[in-house]
Amino acid sequence: MKTRNLPLLALPFALLAGCATMSSAGSIDSADVYRGLGTEPGWSVLIGGSKIEYLGNYGETAITVAKPRPIIGINGERYETPTLTVDITHGQCSDGMSDRIYADNVTVTAKGQTLRGCGGAILPVQQLAGTNWAIETLDGKALADGTRSNIVEFTPDRLSVRAGCNNMGGSYSVAGQTLKAGPMMATRMACAPELMAQDDTLNSLFAGPVQMEWRADGTLVLSGNGHRVVLRQAI
């Protein structure tokens, strides 16, 4: 786990949503919830509503406490109780297990054990090379039933798309927020009409310049030729 400790800063506390891929520590039911996680051993923490829920040692340890008023520091917040303490320090953090970069470093102390991890919003990926993505929506809709695979992969010099019936791939380049792909080569299998239409949409999208929009929730939006695809990074 790669973290860096930063000095505390007096900022108003704001619960950060997102990070939907983190393991849930328990049953907090709130859209306004802060999530943190770590590895070796795996743990997760949820801060929301009136309580904090911690799940540690790959699920063997569960602690739920009433959420205290946060102690506001120079660059973060501290939630301190007799059985559980959570320190949040604002500053980029890598979980060490994927390409994801989080907004905060998180330290949890529970039952005499101190664990370090990440939390808060997932920050935008700064480069495409070496990343894999799944399609969340294509022109505002989920992928059709029967889609054989769902992956958009970027190597240092090649873009591959496997989402629908046929596979396609080719070279690509990035300049600022514009991606240019091609020429894209594709297989020519015949499938159900809705899958073929999905292939046609993706072909059209990558046929011209594609505008990229990095979102704070970790998604990447590609827009071009009147089409729009929302991608979420896969581990």
Side-chain angles (χ1 to χ4, degrees):
M1 174 65 61
K2 299 177 183 178
T3 62
R4 65 187 174 115
N5 295 321
L6 301 177
L8 290 180
L9 181 96
L11 291 175
F13 174 70
L15 291 176
L16 295 174
C19 310
T21 56
M22 294 184 184
S23 299
S24 173
S27 59
I28 291 177
D29 183 14
S30 172
D32 194 19
V33 60
Y34 185 96
R35 293 173 171 85
L37 85 169
T39 58
E40 299 177 1
W43 60 267
S44 60
V45 65
L46 299 183
I47 304 172
S50 61
K51 59 186 176 179
I52 301 176
E53 293 185 350
Y54 166 76
L55 196 62
N57 197 24
Y58 302 105
E60 292 184 4
T61 302
I63 300 174
T64 299
V65 297
K67 185 179 75 176
R69 183 183 298 275
I71 301 170
I72 307 299
I74 308 183
N75 196 30
E77 303 81 40
R78 178 183 178 93
Y79 294 86
E80 186 173 353
T81 76
T83 55
L84 180 69
T85 298
V86 181
D87 283 296
I88 299 170
T89 303
H90 304 313
Q92 292 188 12
C93 178
S94 169
D95 65 10
M97 299 292 288
S98 69
D99 296 320
R100 292 190 177 99
I101 301 296
Y102 296 90
D104 302 324
N105 293 270
V106 179
T107 301
V108 172
T109 302
K111 293 190 174 182
Q113 185 178 27
T114 297
L115 301 166
R116 292 176 173 83
C118 302
I122 300 175
L123 302 179
V125 177
Q126 298 304 310
Q127 63 180 16
L128 290 174
T131 61
N132 298 315
W133 304 78
I135 296 177
E136 284 201 341
T137 60
L138 182 59
D139 285 346
K141 300 178 181 178
L143 294 183
D145 292 341
T147 298
R148 296 181 178 180
S149 60
N150 180 8
I151 190 71
V152 179
E153 179 181 9
F154 294 91
T155 67
D157 57 4
R158 185 174 177 81
L159 161 64
S160 299
V161 182
R162 300 186 294 277
C165 176
N166 288 283
N167 301 334
M168 65 187 75
S171 60
Y172 75 96
S173 62
V174 174
Q177 300 302 309
T178 301
L179 180 150
K180 292 184 178 180
M184 298 285 280
M185 306 298 292
T187 58
R188 297 183 177 180
M189 296 176 58
C191 296
E194 59 270 22
L195 298 182
M196 299 294 287
Q198 205 162 262
D199 285 346
D200 290 342
T201 298
L202 290 167
N203 270 312
S204 178
L205 170 69
F206 290 109
V210 176
Q211 296 303 308
M212 301 185 296
E213 177 190 352
W214 303 94
R215 290 180 170 176
D217 66 356
T219 57
L220 170 61
V221 180
L222 304 180
S223 304
N225 280 340
H227 300 292
R228 190 166 182 262
V229 60
V230 178
L231 306 176
R232 183 170 294 279
Q233 192 174 7
I235 296 176

